[in-house]
Amino acid sequence: MKRFFALLCVLVLTLSLTACGSKEEDPPKTDEPVPPAADSKGDVQTSPDAPASDEPQMPAGPAPEVKSDSKYVLAYQGCQLPMNADFAPILAYLGEPASYFEAESCAFDGLDKTYTYDGVEILTYPDGDLDRISVVRILTDAISTAEGITIGSTAEDVTAAYGEGGSRYEYEDGDCLLSFILQDGKTVSVEYTALNDMLG
């Protein structure tokens, strides 16, 4: 009888050790963030519910080729923004603006529209089925004219780049009026304005 109980104890002990050995250990707890899993190619896989990046989206594909009738043209995100140009292909390239505003046009049949992007504001006027660029404004010192002038540039910088423009620092070429407003000797506004018979 003692032998039977001894064998039974050995059997129970063996079974309990086998059960403990098959249990997988939990990974050690840590405060370090777990990196996203990568697939077999090494590309990081993200969850469909993962929040989108706050980084501004860069335009995809080649910029549209837009004709200009002036030497004064602002380039933004690799795309030219000439006055009086059809804005539709430019809008398709730049994508959705940070903000948008529209109102009935006082001068035309249709809507005047304002598109605000990071550092640039673009205004359009209606021309039949088209929206044409009427004004482009530089809003920050992160954007500059082709000649290197931006918000904060000095009066000396402006005249060195464009020549003497009088007290109002206005420069006209083709269908564009490029104007700078200065306060205390520093540029506070840079604006391209369309010139044509319809706009006066």
Side-chain angles (χ1 to χ4, degrees):
M1 194 73 172
K2 287 184 182 178
R3 257 178 110 177
F4 174 78
F5 280 118
L7 284 171
L8 186 61
C9 287
V10 170
L11 182 62
V12 170
L13 183 60
T14 304
L15 288 174
S16 67
L17 287 174
T18 304
C20 291
S22 66
K23 182 182 177 184
E24 290 184 11
E25 290 187 334
D26 292 329
K29 294 195 186 239
T30 174
D31 292 330
E32 293 292 322
V34 179
D39 63 16
S40 58
K41 296 179 184 175
D43 295 324
V44 172
Q45 303 297 306
T46 57
S47 163
D49 298 328
S53 171
D54 289 336
E55 292 294 316
Q57 296 297 312
M58 295 299 288
E65 294 184 14
V66 189
K67 180 178 174 292
S68 174
D69 293 327
S70 174
K71 65 183 179 183
Y72 299 136
V73 181
L74 182 69
Y76 179 70
Q77 301 284 18
C79 181
Q80 300 288 310
L81 304 175
M83 296 300 99
N84 300 301
D86 176 13
F87 188 58
I90 298 170
L91 176 60
Y93 172 74
L94 293 178
E96 186 177 343
S99 67
Y100 169 81
F101 175 78
E102 64 182 34
E104 284 292 331
S105 177
C106 297
F108 304 100
D109 188 20
L111 299 172
D112 290 330
K113 300 174 182 178
T114 302
Y115 303 83
T116 304
Y117 291 91
D118 186 22
V120 168
E121 188 173 66
I122 304 167
L123 284 67
T124 66
Y125 65 92
D127 179 17
D129 293 334
L130 303 179
D131 289 318
R132 296 189 180 276
I133 297 177
S134 59
V135 174
V136 173
R137 293 189 185 108
I138 293 177
L139 303 177
T140 72
D141 61 3
I143 310 295
S144 65
T145 69
E147 296 77 19
I149 304 303
T150 187
I151 303 300
S153 294
T154 65
E156 291 77 14
D157 294 333
V158 174
T159 55
Y162 298 100
E164 293 294 334
S167 60
R168 299 182 66 177
Y169 296 95
E170 293 182 340
Y171 305 88
E172 185 177 328
D173 183 77
D175 64 351
C176 178
L177 175 67
L178 176 57
S179 57
F180 304 89
I181 296 175
L182 283 82
Q183 289 179 358
D184 300 323
K186 296 270 182 86
T187 301
V188 296
S189 172
V190 181
E191 184 171 294
Y192 297 77
T193 305
L195 301 173
N196 62 41
D197 293 337
M198 293 190 296
L199 292 170

